Amino acid sequence: MKKFEWLLGMALVCTLAGCGAREEVQPPPPAATTPVSSDPGTPVSAEELKEAAAANQESAGEDVDPGDASLERLAALPESAQLPGGRWKAGQHYQPIVPAQSTSADSGEVEILEVFWLGCPHCYSLEPRIQNWKKSKPPYVKFVGEHVMWGPAHRSHARFYYTLVVLGKADELVPKAFEEIHHRGNMLVAADDAQSQRLQMAFAKANGISESDFKREYNGFAVNTRLQRAEEIMRRYKVESVPFFVINGKYHTDVSMAGGEEQLMQLFTDMAAAEKSR
């Protein structure tokens, strides 16, 4: 991986607004002006990160199709598929997804899917509220987490996340990984894949996962399968910002649309109940 490409990925950590709202892609500066003085296997200075952040803002990338305009989606949604009127309004608090997508929920379940990034400060801020909501959510709600797959830094964090999932440690260690990144400043990603793996394995070992177990799953079939699914989720839902939520494959929303973090949790509960009653 080229140093500049990694710098652009790491600069996303420093761009607070970037992961919460779609930003237009800015072309990178000529290679001659790119900071490349550090060795790719060593830590990068804050100055280099700031320069890279100034050169490019976080985005889903140029190849993401924004899809239909919201009014077109609303017009295409049959009346029988819209939620009952009341507090939550289509086009304001949530957007219908047309056509509706299949989910991983079993019969009688309602899936709520979150697309997030471990390096996103907005996802970090929301995580405690989600964890609390999950403890009291209706039993028929299946909450699913998928990691965003935009660029090199995102994909590295995604491989780490799905390794924790496959090892059965995600519920315990994802909150700790958020703390490690956003509170302790250990980004758990480096200038090359090998160094990223060493950083992530050190975190795993410090939290009770053996080196052999971590290495076995990190590049294993199960993790690679989950990464492929995450790529498919990105394409199907045209994810342009995180955190991003999909209710039962039919509606998407976020903190801003819901009106705040507390309102988002209530929206989950109400929309899931409406779906369950269908």
Side-chain angles (χ1 to χ4, degrees), residues 21 29 89 95 132:
K89 301 185 185 304
Q95 292 283 11
N132 286 335

Side-chain angles (χ1 to χ4, degrees), residues 17-78:
C19 59
R22 181 170 180 257
E23 300 286 349
E24 295 301 320
V25 176
Q26 303 297 324
T33 65
T34 302
V36 294
S37 57
S38 301
D39 182 84
T42 60
V44 178
S45 70
E47 288 74 17
E48 287 178 306
L49 287 177
K50 288 178 182 177
E51 288 181 27
N56 200 345
Q57 293 181 313
E58 179 173 6
S59 167
E62 295 178 346
D63 59 346
V64 173
D65 179 1
D68 298 331
S70 59
L71 290 179
E72 293 172 340
R73 286 198 296 266
L74 289 171
L77 190 71

Side-chain angles (χ1 to χ4, degrees), residues 5 12 15 25 76 95 99 105 109 111 127 138 149 154 169 174 183 201 204 211 222 237 272 275:
E5 290 175 344
L12 308 183
T15 309
V25 176
Q95 292 283 11
E109 291 183 327
E111 181 188 84
E127 180 67 13
M149 298 285 286
H154 307 97
K169 296 291 187 178
V174 166
H183 183 66
M201 185 167 61
E211 182 173 335
Y237 294 118
E275 281 296 296

Side-chain angles (χ1 to χ4, degrees), residues 5-268:
E5 290 175 344
W6 181 80
L7 283 170
L8 291 180
M10 283 301 298
L12 308 183
V13 179
C14 304
T15 309
L16 301 189
C19 59
R22 181 170 180 257
E23 300 286 349
E24 295 301 320
V25 176
Q26 303 297 324
T33 65
T34 302
V36 294
S37 57
S38 301
D39 182 84
T42 60
V44 178
S45 70
E47 288 74 17
E48 287 178 306
L49 287 177
K50 288 178 182 177
E51 288 181 27
N56 200 345
Q57 293 181 313
E58 179 173 6
S59 167
E62 295 178 346
D63 59 346
V64 173
D65 179 1
D68 298 331
S70 59
L71 290 179
E72 293 172 340
R73 286 198 296 266
L74 289 171
L77 190 71
E79 212 174 295
S80 60
Q82 297 198 40
L83 293 180
R87 178 177 181 182
W88 310 113
K89 301 185 185 304
Q92 178 181 345
H93 299 110
Y94 65 90
Q95 292 283 11
I97 295 170
V98 180
Q101 300 294 304
S102 61
T103 73
S104 63
D106 293 329
S107 177
E109 291 183 327
V110 175
E111 181 188 84
I112 294 182
L113 182 149
E114 178 192 18
V115 183
F116 71 99
W117 174 34
L118 285 172
C120 168
H122 305 289
C123 301
Y124 170 60
S125 173
L126 187 63
E127 180 67 13
R129 196 177 290 273
I130 287 179
Q131 292 301 325
N132 286 335
W133 180 82
K134 285 167 66 175
K135 294 174 184 176
S136 61
K137 69 176 178 61
Y140 56 81
V141 171
K142 180 178 183 179
F143 193 93
V144 178
E146 298 287 354
H147 200 283
V148 78
M149 298 285 286
W150 289 330
H154 307 97
R155 287 184 169 87
S156 179
H157 279 153
R159 183 172 292 279
F160 171 58
Y161 166 68
Y162 290 117
T163 300
L164 297 181
V165 171
V166 171
L167 289 169
K169 296 291 187 178
D171 287 345
E172 175 188 352
L173 295 187
V174 166
K176 291 184 178 181
F178 270 122
E179 286 292 317
E180 187 76 9
I181 292 170
H182 298 279
H183 183 66
R184 296 180 179 86
N186 175 11
M187 301 305 174
L188 296 176
V189 67
D192 61 74
D193 292 339
Q195 178 66 4
S196 291
Q197 182 178 355
R198 285 192 288 272
L199 288 172
Q200 294 163 8
M201 185 167 61
F203 172 87
K205 288 173 65 178
N207 286 278
I209 297 175
S210 71
E211 182 173 335
S212 59
D213 286 347
F214 187 85
K215 284 184 173 180
R216 182 188 68 245
E217 302 300 347
Y218 194 77
N219 290 298
F221 176 79
V223 168
N224 286 325
T225 299
R226 290 300 303 266
L227 289 168
Q228 291 172 4
R229 170 176 164 76
E231 293 278 13
E232 176 62 20
I233 290 292
M234 293 285 295
R235 288 192 294 270
R236 282 167 57 191
Y237 294 118
K238 302 178 176 68
V239 179
E240 299 178 346
S241 63
V242 290
F244 177 92
F245 299 92
V246 178
I247 293 87
N248 224 30
K250 296 180 180 179
Y251 319 98
H252 75 81
T253 188
D254 56 33
V255 176
S256 178
M257 291 177 66
E261 293 183 358
E262 182 178 352
Q263 292 89 333
L264 180 65
M265 300 303 107
Q266 188 61 51
L267 177 62
F268 288 165

